[in-house]
Every structure is written in structure tokens, then in C-alpha cells.
Amino acid sequence: MQRQWWQASVGYQIWPKSFNDSNGDGMGDIPGILEKLDYLQQLGVDLLWLSPIYPSPLADEGYDISDYCGVDPRFGTMADLERLIAETKRRGMRLLLDLVVNHCSDEHPWFQKALADPEGPYGQYFYFRRGKNGAPPCNWRGYFGAGVWSPVPGRADLYYLHLFHEKQPDLNWSNPALRREIYQMVNWWLDKGIAGFRVDAIVNIGKPDSFRDYPADRPDGLADCCNMLAEPSAKAHLAEYLTELRDNTFRPHGAFTVGEVFDTDPAELAAFIGPDGYFSSMFDFAATCCGKSPKGWWAARRPSPTDYRDCCFSSQKAAQGVGFLSNVIENHDEPRGASHYLPLGFEEQPRAQKALAAVTLLLRGLPFLYQGQELGMTNKPFASIHEVDDVNTKGEYAACLAAGLRADDALEVIAHYSRDNARTPVQWSAQANAGFTAGTPWMPVNPRYRSVNAEAQQADPASALNFYKKLISLRKDPAYKETLVWGDFEPLYTEREGLAAFWRRADKKLLVLSNLSDEAMLLPLPGPVRAVVLNSRQLPPELEQQALILAPWQALVLEME
Ligand code: GLC
């Protein structure tokens, strides 16, 4: 596989509104990110992905964009962003923006012009359709729980399509004029000096040639809009648009791209991330999807540490020899990784968080950390549905009630899965508002900030933060980089519950062992140990001739003969 500059990178996602507030308005901003570049550099991450910073009415926290080439004044100015591009470059880091082009905001001038004249040229930028016998054109349910068609104001029997919120109309990629505008915008940003994009919700741009009903799958009589992704015409269009997008923008710029792609058939991986793929990389969401139900969060089952391991391992095997996945345990759409993948009662324990970190950082592929993950930030408490900000959580709460759950049980369900868990302010210090803002934070800080914060962890050699630093510097260590970045992956001891064990092999033979359980484990060793390269616990590993005892939650990297 051809070597690329980004393969040895470690990614870090910034969700700007909650990262760091420089001006006391309670919301994070770009100057706030600039203040923390030293922190990020010391952590060792070098590929920074910013969730949307564009002007937006915030119906979906910035994923509803009203101007693709601007910076929302809440986050700063274009000059601030240019400074961020320059400052990251100066430090050997690269900046990625979020490319959200399945939909825009209903307040974008394109949609405003389309509403004014649905039959005119801008009407062709969206999907306007007539209803069917007084009902919407088809029975799809969108990703946030409501129907995907909303009536066009003032026009009897005309609807527009939105797979997400009604304030996020879908863009019509079958229109070459729209595609040209998008390529122009993408190139404009790349010419400004960003290194590339995280590409949002992108599989949805391929729409089938006709919008037809699917069998209803919930009491609301609607069907999951995801069904359309499997239609041959949708798949064919997706391939056509992604090829054209790549050839007209990313490829000529040598840009890095990471796609938000769910549910890819292993047979299609090469098309997405192979040497001639649409993207450089895509997130591995196998564990993210594990236990989820098409019925909604109320019917979901939380994955065990063994489920997590099995999901990662099967993705690793599928991607080996094809391309580079991007490995995550959390992002702005998911519960905190420690709260989701560690068993109840262990989510707050740094030793358990480190065992999980060792797996996600040492698998083959690009690790992407989400802000605060390196501190072991966990889910937040929920006292009432009225304090929820996230639009998706509100839809899932309604689905819980529709399925017959009592209000307090519904609250318990959404408390685990809500996207708000990931969106509390980053915990910088034990000072007021976790040092995030001098004003009132737009969302309350997680009360655990007094003990869990960056300042305290920097001073503690045994902290989660310092262990993340060790893992990242191990990946970059010239002695081990070849093996950890480009080496192959091979699992072992997969019959053992709660153990993630795998080889990474190239010029060195590294054995990664992570005990994702609270029980000590006796393991046979597949050969003589040359060196203990990393140990997550202060306990020295108990090495016998041909066996070792792995303490509860202990992660080890052993260099083998
Ligand atoms: C992606 C984003 C999510 C957003 C959705 C619609 O899934 O990660 O936050 O709500 O797309 O843009």
C-alpha cells in the first residue's frame, strides 16, 4: 500500500462550542482553540478536525449551514480561522474542517430562493415533490425520528425532503449545477490551506431514482429512511458523485479526507478507502453500531468489552490490505466511550479507561480522539428532559414514550445515549466552570470536573491524560512507528472473554494485551519477551517462563523475540 503523510497521524476532534471560551460569552470559540494549541501539541495529536464553525441557526448545532464560506461570529472571524490554519501549520499539525453537503440550512440563500420559486433554478438544488393523496410523497422516517417531508409554506400539496431536521433540507446532487457549486467551495477552502475534511453523513447524497414507500417498521406507520441506501440506483449515484467529488477537489489537492460512513459491506471497503478510494479513511463504526436497534435507543443493548473487541477485530481484518480505518470510541454524536464500553461501575476508573485507550490507540489505522476523552470524561447527569439541547435526543425521547415507556424510564434511556453527554464543556481545571469560561457556560459543566480536569491530570503521572500521551508517543517513536503504523494486525486468544490481545508486526514483533475486565488473567506467552514497552499499571507484569499474569485492567505492550 502506498505510504501517505497522514497515515502516521493521530487525530483529535474539536467540537468548538464546548472546547474553550476566550471571551466569556459561555461558548467556545476559535481564539479559545488557539489558546490550547500548546496543550494539544503536548498531547501529541497532529490532525485536528473542527466540527462546523460556519454560520448556522444551530437547529442541529452547526450541522445546518447557512453560509459555507463564512465563520459564525459566535466562533470568531475568518481572520481567527486563518490564524488557526497558520498556527497549526507552524506546529507541524494539520487542520480539517467538517464538510456537510448532504443538506444545508433552510436559512441558506439557496433554499430561500428555492422557496420563493420552487420551479426556478434553485428549486433544482433541493428535492421538491408533490404529495400522494393528501399525504407526503413517501413514508420515510428521518434520522431524528420525524417524517422526512415538510410542506412548502404557501404551496398546497408541495413538500421538500429532509433526512435530518426540517431545518436541514437535502441538497439535490443529481443537479450538476449544485455539484459544481460544492466543488468550488471545497476547493476554495483547500486553497486556503486546510489539509482536508471530515465528510458528514455523505452516503445519503445518493438518492434512488424514485421515492417509494417501504414497509412500516414502527407504530408511527413510517419506515427508516436508511432503507433507501440499499437501492441499486442510490448506490450507483453515490459512486458517481463521490468519484466526481474526489477527482475535482480532494485528489488534485492531495487532501486528507475521513468519511462518516456507516454499515459498509466489507466488499465495498476498497471503493471507499482503497488506494483509489473516494476517501483517505473512514471511521470504523462497528462498535458504535453494536447493540443499536432500528426501533430506537429504548430497544438498544449496551455492548460488553468483549463485544467492543470483537467489533474492532472484525473491522481490522476487513481493512487489512485494503486501507486505513479511523478508530474511535466516541465523538460528538455518541455517549462518552468510557461510559459506553466499560462495565457499569468502572467508567470512572482511570485504570479501566487506560485499558480501553490502549486498544483504540494501538489498532491498525488512525486513532481519532474526541475532546476530553484523554481526560476520561464520562456521561453527564440528566435531571429532566427539559434540560436537553440535542434535537436527536428529543426525537428518541418521543420514541421511548410512543413505545410505552414511563417518563422516568425514558429519561434513563436517553441519559445514556444522548449526544449532550459528549457536548458538555471540556474540563480544563478545578476552577469555576471547569476553567472553560469566565461567563456562564451555554451547557452546564459535568459536576465531576473538580476531580477530573486537565490541570490535575497534567501533574499526575498516573492520570489518563499522561497515559494517552505515552500511547501517542509510542506510535510516533521511530523505533516502533513502522510496526504500529504500517505493521499488520493479528488477533489472538479471542476465546477469552474481556481480553483484547493482538499482534502488530513489521520490523518488530509487538504483542498488545489489554485486560478489559476486573479479573486477573493467566495467559500463555507465544514466545520469549524481549522488552516490556508499555505498562498501563504500576504493577510490574508477572512474567513466568512461558506465561504471564495480567492484572485487572492492565494493558501491556511486549516486544517479543
Ligand atoms: C452527522 C453529524 C451529526 C449531524 C448529522 C446531520 O451524523 O455527525 O452531528 O447531526 O450528520 O448533519
Side-chain angles (χ1 to χ4, degrees), residues 316-384:
Q316 291 276 299
K317 283 190 261 173
Q320 182 136 270
V322 175
F324 272 65
L325 289 170
S326 289
N327 301 314
V328 287
I329 57 167
E330 61 195 57
N331 63 30
H332 66 296
D333 292 331
E334 298 299 325
R336 286 289 181 174
S339 300
H340 192 55
Y341 296 114
L342 295 174
L344 224 60
F346 292 96
E347 64 274 27
E348 295 182 3
Q349 293 198 12
R351 58 190 184 142
Q353 296 166 352
K354 290 183 208 171
L356 187 59
V359 182
T360 177
L361 270 280
L362 298 174
L363 290 171
R364 194 175 159 282
L366 252 80
F368 262 86
L369 275 60
Y370 177 70
Q371 63 187 31
Q373 174 185 333
E374 72 279 16
L375 307 174
M377 281 179 64
T378 48
N379 279 358
K380 75 183 205 76
F382 282 79
S384 141

Side-chain angles (χ1 to χ4, degrees), residues 144 218 292 295-300 302 332-336 339-340 378-403 405-424 443:
F144 296 153
R218 287 192 195 174
K292 297 252 168 86
K295 295 195 177 113
W297 290 348
W298 65 270
R302 283 178 55 182
H332 66 296
D333 292 331
E334 298 299 325
R336 286 289 181 174
S339 300
H340 192 55
T378 48
N379 279 358
K380 75 183 205 76
F382 282 79
S384 141
I385 186 66
H386 302 299
E387 68 184 36
V388 168
D389 171 72
D390 169 38
V391 53
N392 191 24
T393 306
K394 293 175 187 167
E396 290 284 351
Y397 183 78
C400 288
L401 298 182
L405 268 71
R406 291 195 347 231
D408 49 348
D409 293 332
L411 190 66
E412 197 179 316
V413 168
I414 60 103
H416 180 75
Y417 290 99
S418 175
R419 307 198 294 183
D420 285 356
N421 285 306
R423 299 176 178 189
T424 60
M443 178 184 272

Side-chain angles (χ1 to χ4, degrees), residues 15 49 60 63-64 98 100 103 144 164 168 198 200-201 260 262 331-333 391 419 423:
W15 201 74
W49 151 30
D60 182 21
Y63 284 89
D64 47 320
D98 216 311
V100 188
H103 44 267
F144 296 153
F164 293 88
Q168 294 169 296
R198 175 263 187 181
D200 183 78
E260 187 197 25
F262 284 89
N331 63 30
H332 66 296
D333 292 331
V391 53
R419 307 198 294 183
R423 299 176 178 189

Side-chain angles (χ1 to χ4, degrees), residues 59 92 96 98 122 173 177 187 227 229 244 260 264 267 291 343 363 459 467 475 480 507:
L96 309 176
D98 216 311
Y122 285 96
W173 276 70
N187 285 327
N227 284 303
L229 300 175
E244 194 184 270
E260 187 197 25
T264 306
L363 290 171
F467 188 64
R475 284 186 70 92
Y480 298 109
D507 57 338

Side-chain angles (χ1 to χ4, degrees), residues 492-493 496 511 513 522-527 546-548:
L492 70 173
Y493 308 139
R496 302 283 293 253
L511 182 60
L513 301 172
L522 177 68
L523 294 177
L525 278 173
Q546 282 159 356
L548 135 161

Side-chain angles (χ1 to χ4, degrees), residues 156-403:
D157 205 31
L158 194 63
Y159 295 81
Y160 69 92
L161 177 74
H162 54 87
L163 297 186
F164 293 88
H165 192 267
E166 63 190 32
K167 284 182 70 64
Q168 294 169 296
D170 277 51
L171 290 164
N172 176 6
W173 276 70
S174 74
N175 177 358
L178 176 269
R179 300 206 299 274
R180 274 195 301 275
E181 292 235 34
I182 289 179
Y183 305 154
Q184 212 181 344
M185 173 273 286
V186 169
N187 285 327
W188 182 82
W189 279 114
L190 290 170
D191 289 338
K192 257 192 179 302
I194 65 163
F197 295 94
R198 175 263 187 181
V199 192
D200 183 78
I202 194 67
V203 289
N204 297 292
I205 64 172
K207 305 283 194 297
D209 289 335
S210 65
F211 297 124
R212 61 183 181 93
D213 285 351
Y214 301 119
D217 54 22
R218 287 192 195 174
D220 59 9
L222 302 179
D224 194 334
C225 64
C226 269
N227 284 303
M228 69 105 183
L229 300 175
E231 299 247 13
S233 60
K235 278 179 179 281
H237 292 312
L238 179 66
E240 179 196 331
Y241 307 149
L242 290 182
T243 304
E244 194 184 270
L245 170 65
R246 176 198 65 198
D247 292 347
N248 284 280
T249 61
F250 311 145
R251 183 166 278 177
H253 280 89
F256 169 82
T257 50
V258 52
E260 187 197 25
V261 180
F262 284 89
D263 290 338
T264 306
D265 174 347
E268 291 175 353
L269 258 188
F272 281 86
I273 58 167
D276 197 32
Y278 312 132
F279 305 120
S280 316
S281 180
M282 61 187 246
F283 292 109
D284 175 19
F285 289 128
T288 313
C289 296
C290 178
K292 297 252 168 86
S293 162
K295 295 195 177 113
W297 290 348
W298 65 270
R301 179 187 61 78
R302 283 178 55 182
S304 68
T306 308
D307 292 330
Y308 167 74
R309 173 202 66 187
D310 291 346
C311 288
C312 294
F313 284 10
S314 61
S315 304
Q316 291 276 299
K317 283 190 261 173
Q320 182 136 270
V322 175
F324 272 65
L325 289 170
S326 289
N327 301 314
V328 287
I329 57 167
E330 61 195 57
N331 63 30
H332 66 296
D333 292 331
E334 298 299 325
R336 286 289 181 174
S339 300
H340 192 55
Y341 296 114
L342 295 174
L344 224 60
F346 292 96
E347 64 274 27
E348 295 182 3
Q349 293 198 12
R351 58 190 184 142
Q353 296 166 352
K354 290 183 208 171
L356 187 59
V359 182
T360 177
L361 270 280
L362 298 174
L363 290 171
R364 194 175 159 282
L366 252 80
F368 262 86
L369 275 60
Y370 177 70
Q371 63 187 31
Q373 174 185 333
E374 72 279 16
L375 307 174
M377 281 179 64
T378 48
N379 279 358
K380 75 183 205 76
F382 282 79
S384 141
I385 186 66
H386 302 299
E387 68 184 36
V388 168
D389 171 72
D390 169 38
V391 53
N392 191 24
T393 306
K394 293 175 187 167
E396 290 284 351
Y397 183 78
C400 288
L401 298 182

